Amino acid sequence: MIKKYLLALDQGTTSSRAIIFARGGKIVASVQREFKQYYPHKGWVEHDADEIFDTQLLVAKEAIKKAEIDPNEIAAIGITNQRETSIVWDKATGKPICPAIVWQCRRTAEYCDELKAEGLTDKIRMKTGLVIDAYFSATKIRWILDNVSGARERAERGELLFGTVDAWLIWKLTDGRVHATDVSNAARTMLFNINTLQWDEELLKIFGIPSSMLPTVLPSSGIFGQTDMFGASVPIAGVAGDQQAALFGQCCFSHGDVKNTYGTGGFMLMNTKDKPIFSENGLVTTVAWSLDGKADYALEGSTFVCGAAIQWLRDGLGLIKTAAETEAMALEVPDNGGVYVVPAFVGLGAPYWDAYARGAILGITRGITKNHIVRATLESMAYQTADLLFTMQKDCGAKISSLKVDGGASSNNFLLDFQADILDMPTIRPTCIETTALGAANLAALAVGFYSSLDEISSSWAKDRVFLPSIDADRRSRRIEMWHKAVGRTLNWL
């Protein structure tokens, strides 16, 4: 049977999605399902790892059914995932020993302070490209071993396995036959040496994590294993963390190419090819992907709360019923009315790295309506993106000329108009904004010969719309100044 399709499993922070792609990146079917978020204590965020897998399996089967295709027509599966989220499970039973600790969770912030006080900042940064922060996996694994009864002893006996979400899905999809991850996900653990592209023994000793827990690290494009859970034996052939997958999906294959994803968080990556750039201004250095035995690196800035702020407007404040309403509501008012929203719900990421910041709505007067708050929330997404881009320009020593954007919120024209104004540069939305899933699918496609080259993949990328700046320099400077003033009020709140 002719292999006509690619299946992308896009396991995100708030939902699991499956997309069937035909040749040229055409979406044939897409199914998405949200799953429950758990907040057991202030600053803690957890997921049910079994629910993650169950929802991902369900949407994949539904997408195949919706597409009305034979599973034997699927050439390969690509997996992309929320990064840093940490799962530890029993090697024999496959049962998680505790809830998954989500990348947003801040429970290990004090332990991170201890690591900094021990003078480990530079050592960890030069080995991993990362800053010491509760965001990354290593401190989460350490917390599980220290706080779940019997976990450390069981880990030292080789009875427990660790994985980021990709490794968990691979293990489950292969019925426990494969325990593996790719370099892009390994690079987010704070245990992986991005210079040698191997797990780092010194870091494992620092964090007290047995190497037997860790998955095998494989290239991002290649055969990880076979799954027969969809009615046919299909290879899992492409794996990348969500932001690296989006960079690949945006065809940012050349040095200096930049994309920003408006997802649950906001993530900007620049491809720096075979040269890792170590930031002096609060960004992180990461592995973008590995192909044909060679790794591409990326400079990355991440904000913890981006699209999640829209979820908060819906679920927390009840100001909207759907995210789609926000564009019209923002345009109901001529400006933000002097209101600034800083969505530091779980601290601030790059370039501030303040685990103790907390969110605020500033500038409220009696005349402020829900439309102003909605508009200011959308604007906060653009301001956080601007913080990342301006910092990235400092680190790379060159001006960025345009920005490719994707993610769910990139469908919001108001947001992208405002983004172009604040950045003073063209902001480009592609025809397919599901670039995270597309990137994973394309990595898988290369591994099985569905596509022959990066050039063939690039030929199918197309722009939907270019948003151009329309305000003067003085207005832009005043707005950015007020944003930074608002951020300053939230820093070190706790």
Side-chain angles (χ1 to χ4, degrees):
M1 187 168 286
I2 298 173
K3 304 294 186 180
K4 301 178 182 177
Y5 305 103
L6 301 164
L7 170 59
L9 306 183
D10 183 356
Q11 204 301 299
T13 308
T14 58
S15 68
S16 295
R17 179 190 288 115
I19 300 179
I20 305 286
F21 289 98
R23 189 170 292 276
K26 179 185 176 183
I27 294 177
V28 178
S30 178
V31 178
Q32 179 177 356
R33 179 164 298 199
E34 291 189 2
F35 56 88
K36 190 170 182 180
Q37 309 291 303
Y38 297 89
Y39 308 100
H41 303 287
K42 288 182 180 179
W44 289 33
V45 190
E46 295 179 347
H47 289 159
D48 180 334
D50 284 326
E51 187 181 10
I52 285 176
F53 177 71
D54 290 345
T55 55
Q56 190 64 74
L57 186 65
L58 180 65
V59 294
K61 290 180 176 180
E62 288 181 354
I64 294 169
K65 183 178 180 180
K66 184 178 179 180
E68 298 181 340
I69 65 172
D70 188 312
N72 286 292
E73 295 178 292
I74 300 172
I77 294 170
I79 294 176
T80 184
N81 55 284
Q82 54 167 313
R83 304 172 303 171
E84 299 92 20
T85 294
S86 300
I87 304 168
V88 174
W89 65 93
D90 186 295
K91 185 177 182 179
T93 67
K95 287 295 183 183
I97 66 169
C98 64
I101 302 180
V102 180
W103 59 271
Q104 298 164 314
C105 187
R106 312 309 293 167
R107 75 183 66 183
T108 60
E110 290 185 3
Y111 175 48
C112 289
D113 290 341
E114 294 174 14
L115 294 170
K116 294 172 189 175
E118 291 174 20
L120 292 170
T121 298
D122 288 341
K123 179 187 289 290
I124 288 175
R125 185 170 70 92
M126 295 310 295
K127 282 176 176 281
T128 69
L130 308 177
V131 299
I132 296 175
D133 192 81
Y135 179 20
F136 304 107
S137 306
T139 63
K140 303 177 192 300
I141 305 167
R142 169 71 177 256
W143 188 95
I144 291 171
L145 295 181
D146 287 347
N147 289 275
V148 175
S149 179
R152 181 165 294 284
E153 291 77 17
R154 294 174 66 195
E156 289 171 353
R157 292 196 299 265
E159 297 173 4
L160 300 182
L161 300 178
F162 154 76
T164 42
V165 171
D166 61 305
W168 170 242
L169 293 180
I170 293 166
W171 197 85
K172 294 284 283 184
L173 287 169
T174 61
D175 199 24
R177 294 188 300 273
V178 180
H179 183 217
T181 188
D182 92 298
V183 291
S184 73
N185 279 292
R188 311 299 297 187
T189 60
M190 214 154 67
L191 298 171
F192 188 73
N193 190 314
I194 64 170
N195 305 293
T196 64
L197 299 180
Q198 295 178 336
W199 297 118
D200 191 280
E201 290 295 332
E202 184 179 12
L203 294 178
L204 290 173
K205 289 179 182 177
I206 288 170
F207 289 102
I209 297 170
S211 61
S212 61
M213 296 180 70
L214 303 178
T216 301
V217 182
L218 299 174
S220 308
S221 180
I223 306 300
F224 283 72
Q226 301 278 139
T227 182
D228 56 5
M229 291 190 176
F230 303 115
S233 182
V234 185
I236 301 167
V239 178
D242 52 10
Q243 302 316 314
Q244 291 97 325
L247 191 71
F248 199 85
Q250 284 276 35
C251 297
C252 292
F253 302 143
S254 299
H255 187 280
D257 286 350
V258 183
K259 72 86 196 176
N260 187 71
T261 298
Y262 305 95
T264 300
F267 303 90
M268 182 177 294
L269 274 74
M270 172 191 283
N271 189 332
T272 64
K273 295 302 287 181
D274 59 353
K275 181 183 178 183
I277 295 176
F278 291 90
S279 175
E280 298 296 332
N281 297 288
L283 303 184
V284 302
T285 308
T286 196
V287 180
W289 51 72
S290 62
L291 298 172
D292 301 322
K294 297 179 181 179
D296 275 19
Y297 292 89
L299 192 59
E300 175 176 338
S302 49
T303 59
F304 296 150
V305 176
C306 191
I310 305 302
Q311 246 186 349
W312 167 70
L313 293 177
R314 183 192 70 187
D315 301 337
L317 299 186
L319 297 184
I320 60 172
K321 292 182 179 179
T322 66
E325 297 173 43
T326 58
E327 182 175 342
M329 291 176 71
L331 294 171
E332 281 291 318
V333 289
D335 53 40
N336 65 10
V339 173
Y340 287 80
V341 173
V342 184
F345 305 150
V346 289
L348 287 171
Y352 305 101
W353 295 110
D354 186 344
Y356 304 106
R358 286 298 178 266
I361 305 175
L362 298 142
I364 298 174
T365 63
R366 181 63 183 85
I368 293 303
T369 68
K370 64 180 180 180
N371 292 332
H372 290 99
I373 294 173
V374 168
R375 180 174 177 132
T377 303
L378 288 172
E379 290 180 353
S380 76
M381 297 162 70
Y383 284 124
Q384 290 182 100
T385 301
D387 282 343
L388 299 180
L389 187 136
F390 297 150
T391 304
M392 196 166 281
Q393 289 184 149
K394 289 180 185 177
D395 276 328
C396 69
K399 182 173 174 56
I400 297 167
S401 59
S402 64
L403 179 67
K404 290 181 176 179
V405 296
D406 54 67
S410 66
S411 62
N412 189 305
N413 292 332
F414 167 80
L415 170 62
L416 298 192
D417 268 327
F418 190 80
Q419 187 71 83
D421 283 344
I422 293 303
L423 293 178
D424 191 27
M425 70 175 58
T427 300
I428 305 167
R429 180 172 65 202
T431 53
C432 176
I433 63 172
E434 297 291 356
T435 54
T436 301
L438 181 60
N442 286 344
L443 284 165
L446 283 174
V448 297
F450 190 88
Y451 294 135
S452 61
S453 66
L454 295 180
D455 287 341
E456 185 179 0
I457 292 172
S458 294
S459 67
S460 65
W461 185 91
K463 65 182 68 172
D464 169 54
R465 181 173 168 185
V466 179
F467 296 82
L468 299 174
S470 60
I471 63 172
D472 60 46
D474 287 342
R475 288 173 66 193
R476 180 178 302 110
S477 295
R478 285 197 301 272
R479 289 176 175 180
I480 293 172
E481 180 182 359
M482 287 302 296
W483 162 253
H484 288 150
K485 184 177 181 181
V487 170
R489 296 290 196 272
T490 72
L491 298 176
N492 198 33
W493 183 260
L494 294 183

